[in-house]
Amino acid sequence: MNFENLKGKIFLNNRFVESRKAKISVLNHSLHFASSVFEGIGIYNKKPLFLNSHIDRLLMSSKILRLKNNFNAKFLSKNIYKLITLNSIKNGYVRPIIYRSSHSMSPETKNCKTQIAIASWAWPKLFGNSEGISMTISKYPKLNKKIYPIEAKSSGSYQISVISRVDASKKNFDDCLMLDINKNIAESSACNIFWIKNQIMYTPKTHSILNGITRQAVINIAKKIKLNCKIGDYKLNTLLKADAIFLTGTAAEIQPVRKINRHNFNVNSKVIQDLKTEYEKIKRLGLKSTSNI
Ligand code: PMP
């Protein structure tokens, strides 16, 4: 899909315009310096799932990236709902992006204005692979909070993921596992990672990952269904001994992993099935925040 040909409307700096006419300059600051932050929000039956959690993270990300603005939760929420209606999206995705204008060709941003665009489209699952996905290991480590504000969902934090994903694809893997600078498990190119061993669920701490909204939802689901969840720093050999592994993300939802390099894992794990069942219930309820689970 060439997103330049997206049908429907895009919200661009306070106006709903035809998607094909929603243009920014090739000399835009955020294109050259990746100085933007964004969100990905799932729409189920016309309702954006965990909307408040996504808006909170978007506003936090823009603050961290010093993107001065007066957008607030009410403004964002109102225009997201309006866009979903205008574009008649039943099941799909919303992509708000906050970026800088074209008033600088250097990291100096004094004259740049903060701008916003919100797009939406009907979209199936990211992987949609019921047989589980395959992963290899990225040669680059994931950044951590001491090097880069990884808690922000910012365009800049994706470069290593993009390169690693290209390399994984060349080797015929679906995705790649990223380790942190101390060789602990971090996450995949665009999803958080969990695994199950002896009926206990494990996931990494947040110092070198994006703290996904779906990750937070899954941790809360585990509490609800009394599944023990341990959060810590774990090395690759621990992960490779897991009974089952899965990724989480807005688009991927709960995605089992079939193999990491040559190591195979159970994709029919009962624990993963139970988590998926609960997640489906939450999708139907259209909860606004992961803390409502
Ligand atoms: N980690 C990274 C690097 C991501 O890009 C994403 C979002 N695709 C996630 C984790 C999952 O976050 P969420 O559940 O909020 O979509």
Side-chain angles (χ1 to χ4, degrees):
M1 153 101 188
N2 178 354
F3 281 91
E4 282 193 23
N5 298 330
L6 191 69
K7 293 203 171 63
K9 306 266 189 203
I10 283 181
F11 178 80
L12 185 64
N13 298 320
N14 241 349
R15 286 189 312 133
F16 289 93
V17 297
E18 278 306 316
S19 300
R20 271 180 250 188
K21 291 187 183 157
K23 303 278 185 208
I24 58 170
S25 167
V26 292
L27 297 179
N28 174 269
H29 191 273
S30 295
L31 176 63
H32 292 250
F33 298 99
S35 57
S36 47
V37 297
F38 65 95
E39 272 304 318
I41 309 166
I43 309 167
Y44 299 99
N45 203 15
K46 301 182 190 166
K47 282 194 223 133
L49 184 63
F50 303 136
L51 181 63
N52 295 352
S53 308
H54 283 284
I55 286 178
D56 288 350
R57 188 171 65 184
L58 181 64
L59 292 174
M60 177 193 77
S61 301
S62 71
K63 202 167 169 194
I64 292 171
L65 274 267
R66 280 74 162 169
L67 280 152
K68 262 191 160 181
N69 66 73
N70 52 15
F71 312 136
N72 59 31
K74 206 172 153 195
F75 165 88
L76 294 167
S77 163
K78 184 182 86 183
N79 288 303
I80 286 171
Y81 276 110
K82 206 165 167 188
L83 187 71
I84 293 171
T85 308
L86 275 175
N87 287 341
S88 309
I89 306 285
K90 189 164 184 226
N91 295 302
Y93 193 74
V94 181
R95 166 59 58 86
I97 181 160
I98 298 179
Y99 58 97
R100 293 184 204 275
S101 65
S102 311
H103 291 77
S104 167
M105 246 321 132
S106 80
E108 160 57 49
T109 60
K110 198 168 67 222
N111 294 321
C112 285
K113 293 168 188 51
T114 298
Q115 304 192 314
I116 183 166
I118 311 174
S120 76
W121 58 88
W123 215 21
K125 282 186 187 180
L126 182 64
F127 299 115
N129 188 336
S130 56
E131 282 141 40
I133 61 153
S134 62
M135 298 174 85
T136 186
I137 296 158
S138 164
K139 72 173 187 185
Y140 292 107
K142 188 86 198 174
L143 301 176
N144 70 44
K145 278 181 187 169
K146 288 188 185 155
I147 306 168
Y148 185 88
I150 200 85
E151 64 274 35
K153 188 168 166 72
S154 68
S155 306
S157 69
Y158 277 88
Q159 307 323 311
I160 293 168
S161 300
V162 172
I163 302 172
S164 304
R165 189 71 177 259
V166 170
D167 292 351
S169 256
K170 268 192 204 147
K171 292 192 235 158
N172 283 323
F173 287 96
D174 298 312
D175 199 351
C176 55
L177 172 68
M178 318 214 31
L179 306 178
D180 72 14
I181 53 165
N182 295 315
K183 293 200 173 358
N184 296 304
I185 307 297
E187 59 182 346
S188 82
S189 67
C191 284
N192 293 119
I193 190 161
F194 287 81
W195 60 97
I196 311 289
K197 179 75 185 174
N198 299 332
Q199 306 298 310
I200 298 174
M201 184 170 83
Y202 296 84
T203 199
K205 288 181 178 174
T206 55
H207 52 74
S208 303
I209 62 167
L210 179 74
N211 186 5
I213 309 284
T214 322
R215 173 185 185 273
Q216 295 166 41
V218 164
I219 291 171
N220 289 348
I221 291 172
K223 273 187 209 140
K224 195 177 151 206
I225 63 172
K226 300 197 168 30
L227 168 66
N228 192 353
C229 174
K230 295 196 174 168
I231 301 174
D233 285 328
Y234 303 100
K235 300 286 185 221
L236 184 59
N237 59 0
T238 308
L239 178 71
L240 296 179
K241 285 183 207 140
D243 300 326
I245 304 178
F246 62 98
L247 304 181
T248 63
T250 296
E253 300 182 347
I254 295 174
Q255 172 63 64
V257 174
R258 184 177 82 244
K259 65 171 185 171
I260 297 181
N261 287 341
R262 284 187 194 161
H263 302 263
N264 294 307
F265 303 94
N266 175 15
V267 289
N268 297 310
S269 147
K270 162 97 171 57
V271 182
I272 299 181
Q273 280 313 325
D274 291 347
L275 292 166
K276 277 187 166 184
T277 305
E278 289 299 317
Y279 196 72
E280 289 300 320
K281 282 189 208 160
I282 288 164
K283 277 162 57 178
R284 283 196 292 275
L285 290 172
L287 297 186
K288 290 202 168 169
S289 166
T290 54
S291 53
N292 297 337
I293 292 170

